[in-house]
Amino acid sequence: MNSKETCRSELRIAIRQLSDRCLYSASKWAGEQLVGIEQDPAKFTPTNTRFQRGSSSIRRRFRTNDITSTPVTGMSYVSTPVLEEDEVIDGDFYLLAKSYFDCREYKRAAHALRDQNGKKSVFLRCYALYLAGEKRKEEEMIELEGPLGKSDAVNCELVSLERELSTLRKNGTIDPFGLYLYGLVLKNRGNQNLARTVLVESVNSYPWNWNAWSELQSLCTTIEMLNSLNLSNHWMKDFFLASAYQELRMHNESLAKYEYLQGMFSFSNYIQAQIAKAQYCLREFDQVEVIFEELLRNDPYRVEDMDMYSNVLYAKECFSALSYLAHRVFMTDKYRPESCCIIGNYYSLKGQHEKSVMYFRRALKLDKNYLSAWTLMGHEYVEMKNTPAAVDAYRRAVDINSCDYRAWYGLGQAYEMMGMPFYALHYFKKSVFLQPSDSRLWIAMAQCYETDQLHLLEDAIKCYRRAANCNDKEAIALHQLAKLHCELGRPEEAAFYYKKDLERMEAEEREGPNMVEALLFLAQHCRTHKRLEEAEVYCTRLLDYTGPEKEMAKNMLRGMRSESSYPSMDVEHFPP
């Protein structure tokens, strides 16, 4: 059996086992990877697959060679023992409990399995109790503080579950799914080190449970933690590492891993979405837009990750495309948090900020830990000049994920608006530490240094230099560097940056006051240093503009003619 068939066989078994234990999100993930494996060319016909080879510009971007039936170099296909099932022992009770579970009657499900000792039954009973506790915690939060408020509600089942699962682990009678649940309980109890150890045991003994990998990833907040994990060599480890690199902001390493995985999972929508996510963080919006357009062609009712697509359309001010996307997700599933965020972005782009906030709040009623909604709602409050509400929204975002640079940046903006540059600088530093490749963050920090309260111009110059080296698409850094050097009495450095800024504006075919300012300074600088030919070129270009700069250019040309024997042009013949 070749590697692809082995992989398919593993995933088919895993889907049944995960579904049978009510781990439906992990089962869905496995199913998406199953259909993402490239079809056997002998069976590859339009009648049994919806994909067409070569139709994807994204696949062409990441695949330079045709895929053959041999394994990708380095990809492991270590076989994992098949779990022993125990339906014969407690099958009828298990089926009843699973029916209760699917109807969200978690306590009834746990009660139905109270006397069953099979590993599968023990897992489902404990998992039902865990979810019953989570459900009650959510209800208490709403009762005590409202749907968006904070509260001290906790899952009251955690203590007893930790005690029982710990005993089972010590006795060696716990299966990989029980280990996953034990790790989840430990994480919620704040015992992160032991949670990591237990989750590693779970994924090493049963690598196809993506839920366990996801929980393990959330506990690896540094690259040192990630590298310290003792993981078995299985192809699921590559999915985990690609996702972990992305969360650790190692986007190029993440893209390389996903390119490697596409050798096997050529048609995986999940991989394409993750590639889009990495490129979004690298601000390659054009490529991200292409990927999402293709994803929607392949999966027209997809809502997952589409909020990121709406952010791209918002940033590019693609009003009609964002309107179409908002209508599409509204008709598909309007009560998904992602749908509410997309509609909120649509109203924000229209300038209807109050209505936008309403949809972001609706998203948070559906999922109070939905990070994007808190951050985007903070942006809307900034637009509405409601800085206290903006600060509260951003703080809720960093409480959920302290590595969200957008929320730290938003806090910096809010405090800057309130005239508190020392606080603003503190938050800008946090954001730029998390996302050092984003020029906007360096520019924000530089502008903070320039304020009257701080007036640390040398530090501002350092920040603008970093911004210029980070592909400053807004074209702010070079101009500000020139102005600051001019203010500090460094004409040579100012001329250098004005010239670079001028070259960039010419390449991008941009006009405006910055170009006039650069031309005027360079003309004066060249005249001062007796480079009269250069000075005349800049002065001649200034004659194409209206305003006082034109008269200044004429006067300079006359002065250059009178103060030297340089054969200047007759300025009297220039148009008025």
Side-chain angles (χ1 to χ4, degrees):
M1 184 184 295
N2 66 37
S3 57
K4 292 178 184 175
E5 286 304 318
T6 303
C7 197
R8 281 196 193 93
S9 177
E10 290 177 1
L11 284 169
R12 285 173 184 142
I13 295 170
I15 291 166
R16 288 192 290 270
Q17 291 172 335
L18 291 163
S19 297
D20 203 28
R21 287 165 176 81
C22 303
L23 295 171
Y24 296 119
S25 60
S27 176
K28 182 184 80 168
W29 187 92
E32 288 178 350
Q33 307 326 307
L34 174 62
V35 299
I37 299 173
E38 188 176 28
Q39 300 292 319
D40 185 340
K43 303 174 183 177
F44 191 87
T45 64
T47 59
N48 60 19
T49 179
R50 60 190 172 86
F51 295 107
Q52 297 296 318
R53 174 183 284 275
S55 64
S56 169
S57 59
I58 305 307
R59 292 185 200 105
R60 288 197 297 271
R61 159 70 175 82
F62 287 96
R63 294 170 61 203
T64 55
N65 301 314
D66 289 338
I67 302 300
T68 65
S69 60
T70 56
V72 178
T73 305
M75 185 170 281
S76 173
Y77 295 92
V78 177
S79 60
T80 303
V82 178
L83 292 173
E84 293 182 8
E85 305 289 7
D86 44 32
E87 287 91 343
V88 176
I89 300 172
D90 48 21
D92 294 342
F93 288 101
Y94 189 87
L95 290 174
L96 174 63
K98 188 174 184 301
S99 300
Y100 287 147
F101 188 102
D102 291 343
C103 294
R104 296 173 58 85
E105 297 182 59
Y106 302 125
K107 286 284 190 178
R108 291 186 78 187
H111 181 74
L113 295 171
R114 64 193 181 280
D115 297 323
Q116 308 306 313
N117 298 318
K119 291 180 180 178
K120 203 163 75 165
S121 294
V122 169
F123 167 76
L124 189 61
R125 175 174 56 79
C126 291
Y127 190 39
L129 286 172
Y130 171 79
L131 290 181
E134 288 294 298
K135 184 179 178 183
R136 182 57 194 151
K137 183 178 79 171
E138 294 286 338
E139 291 167 352
E140 287 180 5
M141 291 179 69
I142 294 173
E143 291 164 2
L144 296 174
E145 296 288 344
L148 305 184
K150 297 182 180 180
S151 79
D152 296 325
V154 295
N155 186 336
C156 59
E157 302 290 343
L158 293 180
V159 175
S160 60
L161 284 173
E162 182 180 5
R163 189 183 306 117
E164 179 178 356
L165 292 168
S166 174
T167 302
L168 291 173
R169 179 170 176 257
K170 288 176 184 176
N171 296 338
T173 56
I174 194 169
D175 69 354
F177 297 101
L179 287 169
Y180 154 65
L181 182 59
Y182 184 33
L184 188 58
V185 169
L186 289 168
K187 176 189 168 186
N188 288 344
R189 294 273 291 162
N191 193 347
Q192 296 192 354
N193 291 331
L194 183 56
R196 269 193 298 273
T197 302
V198 170
L199 287 168
V200 167
E201 292 176 16
S202 175
V203 297
N204 281 344
S205 53
Y206 188 84
W208 302 285
N209 181 6
W210 183 246
N211 287 4
W213 289 107
S214 299
E215 294 298 334
L216 180 59
Q217 177 192 296
S218 69
L219 294 169
C220 297
T221 54
T222 65
I223 187 63
E224 290 76 21
M225 285 183 184
L226 183 65
N227 291 335
S228 69
L229 301 178
N230 185 22
L231 297 170
S232 299
N233 191 25
H234 189 272
W235 53 264
M236 281 292 291
K237 177 183 174 182
D238 293 310
F239 276 100
F240 166 71
L241 289 175
S243 182
Y245 287 152
Q246 196 149 269
E247 289 301 312
L248 293 171
R249 300 170 301 283
M250 299 167 62
H251 303 302
N252 291 318
E253 291 84 350
S254 177
L255 283 171
K257 273 289 180 188
Y258 283 123
E259 177 183 356
Y260 167 73
L261 284 165
Q262 278 195 321
M264 175 63 66
F265 301 91
S266 312
F267 299 111
S268 169
N269 285 346
Y270 167 81
I271 291 178
Q272 287 207 34
Q274 297 308 303
I275 288 171
K277 184 177 179 181
Q279 291 181 333
Y280 174 79
C281 293
L282 295 170
R283 296 182 61 76
E284 297 175 0
F285 290 159
D286 291 337
Q287 293 187 40
V288 175
E289 187 176 4
V290 172
I291 294 174
F292 277 116
E293 286 174 355
E294 180 179 5
L295 279 175
L296 283 175
R297 282 196 297 272
N298 291 336
D299 190 0
Y301 299 103
R302 183 186 184 96
V303 177
E304 187 179 0
D305 302 314
M306 288 299 118
D307 52 333
M308 188 191 307
Y309 182 30
S310 76
N311 292 339
V312 172
L313 297 176
Y314 183 95
K316 296 181 70 174
E317 298 184 359
C318 299
F319 182 83
S320 58
L322 183 53
S323 173
Y324 175 72
L325 179 64
H327 177 75
R328 189 170 188 159
V329 297
F330 181 85
M331 298 303 294
T332 300
D333 189 350
K334 67 179 180 180
Y335 290 119
R336 281 275 293 270
E338 296 94 333
S339 301
C340 295
C341 259
I342 292 167
I343 297 168
N345 271 339
Y346 165 73
Y347 282 114
S348 178
L349 192 58
K350 287 185 71 177
Q352 298 181 21
H353 302 298
E354 293 84 359
K355 205 162 187 178
S356 178
V357 166
M358 181 185 76
Y359 275 96
F360 291 137
R361 290 181 68 87
R362 184 175 294 177
L364 291 166
K365 287 179 182 177
L366 296 166
D367 181 1
K368 64 179 176 58
N369 291 323
Y370 191 45
L371 182 64
S372 293
W374 284 114
T375 306
L376 293 171
M377 190 164 70
H379 295 344
E380 293 307 300
Y381 281 131
V382 167
E383 292 292 332
M384 296 162 65
K385 303 296 188 288
N386 187 349
T387 47
V391 167
D392 184 60
Y394 290 134
R395 288 197 183 281
R396 293 298 299 273
V398 296
D399 286 344
I400 295 166
N401 183 0
S402 60
C403 294
D404 180 23
Y405 77 93
R406 296 169 301 171
W408 291 115
Y409 174 65
L411 278 169
Q413 280 188 310
Y415 279 103
E416 194 173 37
M417 287 175 62
M418 292 189 286
M420 303 169 71
F422 287 97
Y423 285 94
L425 185 61
H426 170 74
Y427 293 119
F428 285 142
K429 284 181 177 179
K430 281 185 171 289
S431 69
V432 84
F433 173 76
L434 293 168
Q435 189 74 2
S437 62
D438 194 329
S439 63
R440 298 169 302 169
L441 310 183
W442 290 107
I443 289 170
M445 197 155 70
Q447 290 171 342
C448 211
Y449 280 124
E450 285 185 90
T451 56
D452 293 336
Q453 294 98 315
L454 297 177
H455 202 65
L456 299 171
L457 300 187
E458 292 294 346
D459 291 314
I461 285 173
K462 291 176 185 176
C463 291
Y464 281 128
R465 281 177 181 159
R466 290 294 300 267
N469 292 331
C470 293
N471 190 19
D472 173 27
K473 294 183 179 180
E474 286 77 15
I476 295 172
L478 290 174
H479 185 73
Q480 290 301 116
L481 280 167
K483 290 183 72 173
L484 284 175
H485 280 297
C486 187
E487 184 179 340
L488 292 170
R490 301 169 185 167
E492 289 298 331
E493 289 88 344
F496 172 78
Y497 286 111
Y498 270 126
K499 194 165 186 178
K500 287 189 73 173
D501 192 32
L502 185 63
E503 289 169 355
R504 176 165 179 168
M505 286 186 282
E506 289 169 346
E508 296 174 358
E509 298 182 350
R510 286 190 289 112
E511 300 283 342
N514 286 3
M515 179 170 280
V516 174
E517 183 181 328
L519 289 169
L520 184 60
F521 179 88
L522 290 169
Q524 292 170 335
H525 179 75
C526 292
R527 182 186 177 188
T528 302
H529 290 77
K530 304 302 180 183
R531 301 205 300 269
L532 301 183
E533 288 188 17
E534 274 189 77
E536 183 177 356
V537 170
Y538 294 127
C539 287
T540 304
R541 291 181 63 179
L542 280 168
L543 295 174
D544 295 331
Y545 295 90
T546 58
E549 294 83 5
K550 180 176 180 178
E551 293 302 319
M552 293 175 70
K554 282 186 178 183
N555 292 333
M556 272 194 283
L557 286 169
R558 291 192 187 97
M560 284 188 289
R561 183 178 60 180
S562 62
E563 69 189 26
S564 72
S565 59
Y566 176 72
S568 180
M569 300 175 66
D570 187 357
V571 297
E572 299 300 334
H573 293 161
F574 286 117

